[in-house]
Amino acid sequence: LQELFLGPYFCQSQNAALFALAESDIDDSNSKTENAFIQRMRQLAKTLKVVLPISVFERKNNTFYNSVIMIDADGMNLGTYRKTHIPDGTGYQEKFYFSPGDTGFKVFSTRVGNVGVGICWDQWFPEAARSMALMGADIILYPTAIGSEPQDPTLNSAYHWQ
């Protein structure tokens, strides 16, 4: 699934009303307080017997993150990775919305192997992949919303990551 897949990539400009899109309680496995969307994704992963890295705009207390929740093929919520490297420039106003992550790089032990996950801009910083490789990642995923450059439609950055 792509980065922030619940809707269009909204970070091209600054709009405080978009903070309302943030999901809360994404890493709470208590059935009474767990986020309803994450409950549905856990059920889907279990039904289909697939591992799902779910990218969401997260609110944790009074802080907002660009996060991935790793759900194993049995429906277990294995935890959250919060994006470390936050871009700020034309077409990528992410520092307005997100704080740098507080989880460090992570590798999740899943049914299909040890899965490392970074998010989008993390891929341009080699310490992310190095750290996850040293932690035993069999595969590294970088959900991204990039495929073109919003500030210049004539640029196509897809060749860098395809």
Side-chain angles (χ1 to χ4, degrees):
L1 300 173
Q2 73 185 35
E3 176 186 23
L4 304 170
F5 84 102
L6 287 174
Y9 178 79
F10 57 87
C11 305
Q12 288 100 343
S13 61
Q14 298 180 10
N15 181 346
L18 296 175
F19 282 101
L21 298 174
E23 299 283 333
S24 298
D25 301 318
I26 64 169
D27 54 3
D28 184 354
S29 293
N30 182 328
S31 62
K32 291 183 180 182
T33 57
E34 183 182 38
N35 177 289
F37 169 70
I38 299 303
Q39 284 179 341
R40 289 192 303 275
M41 293 295 100
R42 289 179 62 201
Q43 187 58 49
L44 182 64
K46 185 176 182 177
T47 299
L48 299 176
K49 297 178 177 64
V50 297
V51 175
L52 290 176
I54 306 295
S55 175
V56 298
F57 181 20
E58 176 192 14
R59 178 182 182 154
K60 182 72 174 181
N61 300 319
N62 290 321
T63 308
F64 294 85
Y65 299 102
N66 186 341
S67 303
V68 168
I69 302 92
M70 188 65 70
I71 301 173
D72 207 353
D74 63 359
M76 287 293 297
N77 182 338
L78 299 178
T80 303
Y81 166 71
R82 297 185 177 114
K83 186 174 182 177
T84 300
H85 301 98
I86 311 295
D88 187 43
T90 305
Y92 304 100
Q93 298 290 305
E94 292 193 17
K95 286 188 178 181
F96 179 77
Y97 297 100
F98 312 125
S99 293
D102 61 356
T103 60
F105 301 116
K106 294 181 92 172
V107 173
F108 299 92
S109 179
T110 74
R111 184 176 292 174
V112 298
N114 296 320
V115 179
V117 64
I119 301 172
C120 194
W121 219 42
D122 288 332
Q123 69 188 306
W124 304 113
F125 298 85
E127 77 274 9
R130 275 192 213 116
S131 296
M132 290 183 276
L134 289 170
M135 288 186 275
D138 298 312
I139 188 169
I140 298 173
L141 305 176
Y142 288 99
T144 184
I146 297 175
S148 62
E149 298 299 322
Q151 78 279 9
D152 185 347
T154 66
L155 295 176
N156 184 349
S157 63
Y159 299 112
H160 297 290
W161 55 267
Q162 286 184 334

